[in-house]
Amino acid sequence: MMKQELFSWWDENARDLPWRFGRTTPWGILISEVMSQQTQMSRVVQYWNNWMDVWPDAASLAKASTAEVITAWGRLGYPRRALRLQECAKVVAEQYHNQLPKTYDELTALPGIGDYTASAVMSFAFGERIAVLDTNVRRVLWRTFKGEESFGGATKPEERKLANAVLPRNPEESVIWNEALIELGALVCTAKNPKIDEDPWASHSRFYAAGCPHMGERRTRPCQSFKGTNRQVRGIVLNALRALAVSSPEEVSSGNDSDIAPTQKKNADYDVVEAVSTVKQGKNSRPAGKNATGEGVSLSRAAVEKLWDDQIQLDACIASLDEDGLIEISPDGSLSLPR
C-alpha cells in the first residue's frame, strides 16, 4: 500500500529534470549527481545542460583544459568537485573505454565518487537494486518508520539497515522508490517545514503522529555563515578569474566595496550562458582581446588586492586555492586559472 501511494505521488509530482526518465546516459547521470551535491536543483539544470552540450562523455571532458572546466563550473560552489570530476573522466576514458563501470567497487574507486554517487548511478543509470541514501531519504525513512527526527551527519548502520529492509525486491520498482524518496524529502518531508497535508505517507508516519518530536532542535545540516568567510573570498577570487573569459582585466580590476566586483555583477550568470558556449563555439570565435576560457589571461596583483580589504585573509585564501590546484600564481603575484 505504501509503495503504491509513493509511486502515485511520484507520477504526479516528479520534477521534469533533463537527466530523468531515461533521457541521458550513465555519464550524464553521474554529472547530475556530482553537480547536485549541496546545491539547489534549480541552479543545476542550466549548468548541466550547457556542460553536457560541450562535454557529453568522459573522453571529451578528459581533453578539456583545467581553465575551461573551472570556468564552466561557474557558481555551482565547491569547485574542487570540478577538478575531481575531470580526474574521474580521465580514468573512465583511459581505463574503461569511455564507459562508466557498472559495479559499486569500481565506481567508488573512481576519483571523487563516494557511496551516494556510486549507489545513485547503479540505481538510476543501470537499474540495479541498491538503496540510495542521501540526507532526504534518511530523513523520510527515519521519521516515517521510526517516528524520530533524523539529524544528518554520516550515514548510520541502523539507517542503512532500515533502507535495505524497506527497499522493494523488484529492481525496476527499487529505482522508482529511490527517486521518489529523494523527491519526497526535497519537496514535502523537508527538514524544517514539512508539508504534512501533501505527504502521501502522512497517515503512516509515526513522526507526524507523535507531533514531530524534536523537529528544529537540531539542524540536519549545520548552519554555516557565508558572508566574510574564506569560502566567500575564494569564490570572489575565482569569479574574478572566470570573468576574464568575457571581460577585459581592466573591467575586473575596477572593484568596489561590495562582495562582487562590478564586472561580476554585470555578468552574474555569464558562466552559464557564455563561458560554456564559448568553449562549444571554439576559441577562435571569441572577441578580440578576450579569452573564451580564461586560459593564458592573468589578473594582476594590483587587481587582486582590490577584491578584498583584508589582505591577510585574501592571501590565505589565494594560497589555499593554489594548494587545491584551482589557480596558478606567477612570480609577479598575478593569478590565472590552471592551463
Side-chain angles (χ1 to χ4, degrees):
M1 180 179 178
M2 291 182 69
K3 180 176 65 178
Q4 293 307 319
E5 290 171 338
L6 179 64
F7 287 6
S8 295
W9 179 86
W10 165 259
D11 288 340
E12 295 177 5
N13 296 278
R15 287 171 290 182
D16 187 22
L17 301 174
W19 50 83
R20 284 179 171 171
F21 312 119
R23 290 180 294 178
T24 191
T25 61
W27 179 254
I29 288 174
L30 182 141
I31 296 295
S32 74
E33 294 297 340
V34 174
M35 284 187 169
S36 300
Q37 293 168 14
Q38 301 183 40
T39 306
Q40 292 179 346
M41 200 66 71
S42 60
R43 296 181 60 208
V44 172
V45 172
Q46 193 173 13
Y47 281 98
W48 185 90
N49 282 328
N50 284 297
W51 186 284
M52 292 299 293
D53 281 346
V54 180
W55 302 305
D57 56 14
S60 57
L61 179 60
K63 295 176 183 177
S65 73
T66 304
E68 288 174 331
V69 173
I70 294 175
T71 299
W73 192 257
R75 296 171 184 269
L76 281 173
Y78 302 99
R80 277 176 290 182
R81 287 183 293 169
L83 299 185
R84 296 291 279 170
L85 194 53
Q86 188 175 38
E87 292 175 20
C88 174
K90 291 177 180 178
V91 174
V92 172
E94 295 170 5
Q95 298 183 20
Y96 293 98
H97 308 290
N98 204 32
Q99 300 296 319
L100 276 181
K102 295 185 177 182
T103 70
Y104 178 87
D105 288 343
E106 287 176 309
L107 285 167
T108 53
L110 295 173
I113 306 303
D115 170 75
Y116 169 78
T117 303
S119 299
V121 169
M122 290 187 67
S123 177
F124 306 145
F126 302 132
E128 297 289 336
R129 182 185 179 273
I130 185 172
V132 180
L133 286 174
D134 71 350
T135 302
N136 288 325
V137 172
R138 291 157 56 196
R139 180 171 60 250
V140 171
L141 294 181
W142 204 251
R143 283 178 174 180
T144 302
F145 293 100
K146 296 296 184 178
E148 301 172 358
E149 180 63 292
S150 170
F151 296 121
T155 301
K156 303 175 181 61
E158 54 268 31
E159 291 175 322
R160 192 172 297 279
K161 182 178 179 180
L162 171 61
N164 287 326
V166 299
L167 186 68
R169 295 293 176 185
N170 181 284
E172 291 184 7
E173 291 185 339
S174 74
V175 174
I176 301 173
W177 178 271
N178 287 328
E179 291 178 318
L181 285 182
I182 291 173
E183 197 80 333
L184 186 63
L187 301 181
V188 175
C189 188
T190 56
K192 296 179 65 177
N193 299 299
K195 302 173 183 177
I196 299 176
D197 292 341
E198 299 177 22
D199 195 327
W201 281 357
S203 61
H204 307 287
S205 175
R206 295 183 177 181
F207 184 72
Y208 295 158
C212 303
H214 307 295
M215 186 175 69
E217 290 186 9
R218 289 171 52 194
R219 296 178 62 88
T220 54
R221 287 182 183 175
C223 181
Q224 297 179 336
S225 174
F226 178 72
K227 190 175 179 63
T229 62
N230 285 357
R231 184 183 165 202
Q232 183 190 19
V233 178
R234 283 166 55 100
I236 288 173
V237 173
L238 280 179
N239 285 338
L241 289 171
R242 293 188 190 107
L244 295 177
V246 292
S247 307
S248 68
E250 289 76 15
E251 289 176 305
V252 177
S253 66
S254 63
N256 61 9
D257 293 333
S258 62
D259 293 340
I260 302 176
T263 297
Q264 294 167 266
K265 284 185 175 180
K266 181 175 63 179
N267 298 299
D269 293 319
Y270 86 86
D271 36 21
V272 180
V273 180
E274 298 187 49
V276 181
S277 64
T278 53
V279 175
K280 179 165 47 178
Q281 295 165 6
K283 296 176 185 178
N284 291 334
S285 65
R286 65 181 179 268
K290 299 182 181 181
N291 188 309
T293 65
E295 283 188 88
V297 180
S298 63
L299 195 65
S300 70
R301 179 63 194 181
V304 171
E305 290 177 351
K306 292 181 180 180
L307 294 175
W308 194 252
D309 288 338
D310 187 336
Q311 297 298 299
I312 294 177
Q313 184 182 20
L314 178 63
D315 286 342
C317 291
I318 290 172
S320 70
L321 287 169
D322 177 51
E323 184 177 350
D324 290 340
L326 293 167
I327 64 171
E328 292 181 354
I329 306 175
S330 299
D332 63 1
S334 63
L335 308 181
S336 61
L337 292 175
R339 298 181 185 276

